Amino acid sequence: MSWNIQEVANQIAAQKMELAKRITKIQNENHPEQQVPLSETLLEERMKLIEMYQELLVDPIDVALQKIAVWGEETGEYCARLGMTIDVALDELPIYREVMATIISEEAKAQNASFDEYSEATGKLHRIIDKAAHSFSVAFVKHHNRLMMTAKEALNELSVPVVPLEEGVAVLPIIGMVDTDRAKLLMEEALKRSTKLNISYFILDLSGVPIIDTMVAHQLFQVIDSLRLLGIEAAITGIRPEIAQTVVSLGLDFSHVNTFATLQQALSAYRKAGHGEPSQKQYSLSQFKRGNEKSE
């Protein structure tokens, strides 16, 4: 009697409800917090997958792999939206592997299938499940990456608050590290808000920036240069003495930028400049550098 793989598919179809309930029970016991609340929904999805397996084992291998790849892409994103973790989601694929392999083995014995026929069927099963795991994982991770990127963009927008202080004056308090993406957002928001608020004096407050290196300085200079192109005077405040020492040691040139120790000093300088009175409290890095050179 020749090997009839269709009989394997028939056995899977006959047991699909029992198999789906068995897998659901195992997963509920192993991962109760994630699985129990989703039991009914996941039971339906498991039945659909088992129905698909009965088709895939009969389909040519290239068709089977295409179908399971589509399933993985759709289901990976779906499970991610349900709030499942990828380790729990993938934990049940070995159960399908074991269940399907058992059905194939039992039917092979019943049909007196040859070793080559049995090996071909189990090999096909493993390729299908491996493809399912891969396509599922890729879709799951892509969904989470999109969520993380969206969250990062939202967080960046919240971390760029341009605050009007008085007519024509605004401050942008920067807190945390400045990377390339955030620096781009800083520039966009500074230019957009300055134009909208009709700002003539823009203050970048760095009190919350832990480190200023060459990259950060370059990004800040770009923001200031862009503001100047719009006719907006810019100043930097909040550079602490230890940060100033780092800036000097790196050879960064802040001499072309108005720098002040505090926001209050920057505002005082702005108001005095309006009456032709130079500020007496300006704290520039060039002065800090000259003081260091004299002390050496």
Side-chain angles (χ1 to χ4, degrees):
M1 181 174 64
S2 61
W3 168 250
N4 185 1
I5 192 66
Q6 182 62 51
E7 288 301 319
V8 176
N10 293 341
Q11 287 297 320
I12 293 173
Q15 301 178 47
K16 67 179 180 181
M17 176 61 77
E18 178 187 344
L19 295 176
K21 287 183 176 179
R22 176 184 167 189
I23 293 170
T24 299
K25 182 175 183 295
I26 293 172
Q27 286 294 83
N28 285 352
E29 291 174 350
N30 291 341
H31 312 285
E33 292 185 2
Q34 287 191 38
Q35 296 286 297
V36 172
L38 303 172
S39 289
E40 293 186 6
T41 299
L42 295 178
L43 178 63
E44 294 179 6
E45 292 301 319
R46 285 163 184 145
M47 287 184 63
K48 292 178 184 178
L49 179 56
I50 291 170
E51 289 176 353
M52 180 178 289
Y53 274 125
Q54 75 184 64
E55 296 178 10
L56 299 179
L57 291 175
V58 178
D59 286 335
I61 186 62
D62 56 337
V63 175
L65 293 178
Q66 286 179 345
K67 286 183 178 180
I68 200 63
V70 172
W71 171 88
E73 291 169 3
E74 294 175 350
T75 310
E77 183 169 348
Y78 176 69
C79 288
R81 291 201 305 268
L82 287 177
M84 295 173 62
T85 59
I86 192 168
D87 58 323
V88 171
L90 291 177
D91 194 39
E92 67 183 67
L93 287 181
I95 305 175
Y96 288 101
R97 193 187 299 270
E98 179 184 352
V99 167
M100 301 300 170
T102 298
I103 294 175
I104 291 174
S105 177
E106 291 174 349
E107 193 59 34
K109 290 177 182 178
Q111 295 189 39
N112 291 320
S114 68
F115 177 78
D116 288 343
E117 290 170 330
Y118 169 74
S119 296
E120 181 182 356
T122 54
K124 183 179 182 180
L125 170 68
H126 295 321
R127 288 188 64 184
I128 290 171
I129 293 180
D130 289 344
K131 186 69 174 180
H134 177 265
S135 56
F136 180 97
S137 300
V138 170
F140 195 102
V141 171
K142 281 184 177 179
H143 178 77
H144 273 280
N145 286 343
R146 286 196 297 271
L147 290 180
M148 291 177 64
M149 185 59 66
T150 301
K152 181 181 179 182
E153 290 173 355
L155 182 61
N156 280 340
E157 289 178 2
L158 290 174
S159 67
V160 188
V162 176
V163 183
L165 298 178
E166 57 185 64
E167 185 177 356
V169 182
V171 61
L172 172 55
I174 304 174
I175 300 174
M177 298 297 294
V178 179
D179 57 18
T180 303
D181 290 338
R182 192 176 182 204
K184 180 181 178 182
L185 186 61
L186 289 174
M187 181 180 299
E188 291 173 353
E189 285 299 306
L191 298 178
K192 182 171 65 177
R193 295 283 289 168
S194 295
T195 302
K196 183 177 180 179
L197 298 172
N198 195 27
I199 299 299
S200 57
Y201 189 63
F202 195 94
I203 302 170
L204 293 166
D205 184 72
L206 308 184
S207 302
V209 178
I211 298 174
I212 293 182
D213 56 18
T214 304
M215 188 279 289
V216 174
H218 176 69
Q219 302 291 356
L220 294 175
F221 292 157
Q222 283 191 324
V223 174
I224 291 170
D225 289 343
S226 298
L227 289 168
R228 284 175 175 166
L229 287 175
L230 296 179
I232 301 169
E233 184 181 356
I236 290 178
T237 64
I239 299 182
R240 302 183 302 279
E242 62 272 22
I243 297 296
Q245 289 179 335
T246 301
V247 168
V248 171
S249 66
L250 290 174
L252 299 175
D253 184 11
F254 274 69
S255 61
H256 63 294
V257 181
N258 292 325
T259 57
F260 301 87
T262 66
L263 179 61
Q264 183 179 3
Q265 290 179 6
L267 285 172
S268 177
Y270 172 74
R271 292 162 183 162
K272 289 181 179 180
H275 294 86
E277 299 176 20
S279 170
Q280 300 299 316
K281 293 186 177 181
Q282 183 169 350
Y283 169 79
S284 70
L285 292 179
S286 57
Q287 289 173 339
F288 179 88
K289 184 175 181 180
R290 287 197 298 271
N292 274 0
E293 289 173 348
K294 291 178 180 179
S295 63
E296 292 178 353

